[in-house]
Amino acid sequence: MFGRKKSVTGDRDAATTGDTADSAPSTTGPHDRSSVGDVARYYTDLGYGHLDLGSLVIGVPKGRDLNVALDPNGQPEFHVVTTVSRVIPRAFAAPKSAGQWRTMVAAMREQLEGQGAEVTVEDGPWGRELVAAMPGAVFRAIGVDGHRWTAEVRIMATPELAEQAAEEGREVFEHLLVNRGDGPMPVREVLPLTIPDEIQQALVKAQSQLAAQQQAQAYQQQMAAGQQGQPAAQARPQNQQAPTSGTPAPSPTPAREEPQQPESRPRRDGSAMDRLRSTDDL
């Protein structure tokens, strides 16, 4: 079991002088962005690359890749990837009072158990960590409540590498920076990301390809449904003559079914940004 770490840094812990503002916060992250005076220096001192998405800054430890992908709803998400783990950081709007992460864990547990996963809740460095065992994979969610925000990482790994993946996920989680902003937002709404132009262009291309693939699949399904519903007389091959009047019709020959092509799976990764390692690359 892991012991609980100190509370995350929030607006209340923002530095009050120029000297302290330029140094890393003393408490364990994720941090509120307002508590870090120089974001680039913060990650440089760690030896990390980073990607600034406005409401969320993701640090990328040395030797790891940062991929951009489309989630099932076609929205962009960012994955810190190694041969061991896939770590997906996110941040949500939250009320001033703590407790949102506890609610999120309960909802995730109910959903995963409904899908047949074996779910447990463990005590980690930040408190509750949800762990779901599925065939061939282990899913872990780590989160914590900050000042009007909740930060989370979701970690995917194979069962034999699950513990190592958890440590890689915690390393990314600890150095997230969150900028909640001052505007009103519904609780549990994902904080909007400001995506750099290069990545945005890759995502627009990926979204267009995904839409085209989905349209083609829908058309193929409609055509297949129409052919299955045709009367036998209409399905006669063009080179087969219709029986003449007074001549018994030949016994119908069963139509050979053509093998169905496998459904194409849209590629969701934004290939233009698959190999981001250093601050310059990002």
Side-chain angles (χ1 to χ4, degrees):
M1 291 291 183
F2 296 90
R4 293 176 182 264
K5 293 189 176 183
K6 296 180 180 179
S7 300
V8 296
T9 302
D11 291 337
R12 296 167 296 224
D13 303 317
T16 56
T17 67
D19 291 340
T20 56
D22 287 337
S23 61
S26 59
T27 57
T28 299
H31 302 294
D32 196 284
R33 183 169 178 155
S34 64
S35 68
V36 179
D38 188 334
V39 171
R41 178 179 167 184
Y42 173 71
Y43 288 108
T44 298
D45 289 346
L46 290 169
Y48 286 18
H50 73 280
L51 180 63
D52 191 340
L53 298 168
S55 63
L56 183 66
V57 187
I58 302 172
V60 184
K62 186 176 180 180
R64 304 188 195 180
D65 292 334
L66 182 64
N67 293 354
V68 59
L70 298 177
D71 68 13
N73 297 319
Q75 298 302 310
E77 62 183 16
F78 294 82
H79 302 183
V80 181
V81 181
T82 69
T83 57
V84 172
S85 66
R86 179 173 293 270
V87 180
I88 307 173
R90 297 195 298 173
F92 305 84
K96 292 182 179 179
S97 57
Q100 177 164 271
W101 176 243
R102 178 187 293 267
T103 303
M104 291 172 65
V105 167
M108 279 190 286
R109 180 170 193 167
E110 182 178 356
Q111 181 181 10
L112 288 165
E113 287 179 339
Q115 297 172 355
E118 182 180 343
V119 184
T120 58
V121 177
E122 300 180 0
D123 186 29
W126 289 270
R128 293 169 177 250
E129 295 184 4
L130 181 141
V131 182
M134 297 168 281
V138 174
F139 167 85
R140 181 183 296 265
I142 302 172
V144 73
D145 293 322
H147 181 60
R148 298 179 65 210
W149 50 260
T150 299
E152 174 200 66
V153 291
R154 298 186 173 194
I155 307 162
M156 294 297 298
T158 57
E160 63 271 15
L161 297 173
E163 290 303 317
Q164 183 179 346
E167 290 305 312
E168 291 184 356
R170 292 184 185 111
E171 187 177 4
V172 173
F173 185 64
E174 183 173 358
H175 298 291
L176 292 176
L177 302 181
V178 182
N179 181 19
R180 160 65 173 78
D182 297 327
M185 287 186 67
V187 297
R188 293 183 64 175
E189 182 171 309
V190 178
L191 298 185
L193 303 177
T194 302
I195 300 175
D197 289 341
E198 182 183 358
I199 301 178
Q200 187 63 54
Q201 292 171 9
L203 286 171
V204 169
K205 182 178 180 180
Q207 287 169 331
S208 298
Q209 292 173 343
L210 178 60
Q213 290 170 347
Q214 291 174 338
Q215 185 177 8
Q217 289 174 7
Y219 176 76
Q220 291 172 358
Q221 291 170 356
Q222 290 174 357
M223 291 295 292
Q227 290 175 357
Q228 291 174 2
Q230 276 187 324
Q234 295 180 359
R236 184 176 64 246
Q238 293 181 359
N239 61 355
Q240 179 179 323
Q241 295 183 354
T244 59
S245 177
T247 303
S251 299
T253 303
R256 184 178 64 186
E257 294 185 0
E258 296 294 335
Q260 294 184 353
Q261 296 296 324
E263 292 185 2
S264 60
R265 297 291 183 183
R267 173 179 173 82
R268 297 183 182 274
D269 283 352
S271 57
M273 301 302 294
D274 280 353
R275 305 292 295 179
L276 301 182
R277 294 194 177 195
S278 67
T279 304
D280 292 338
D281 291 334
L282 295 171

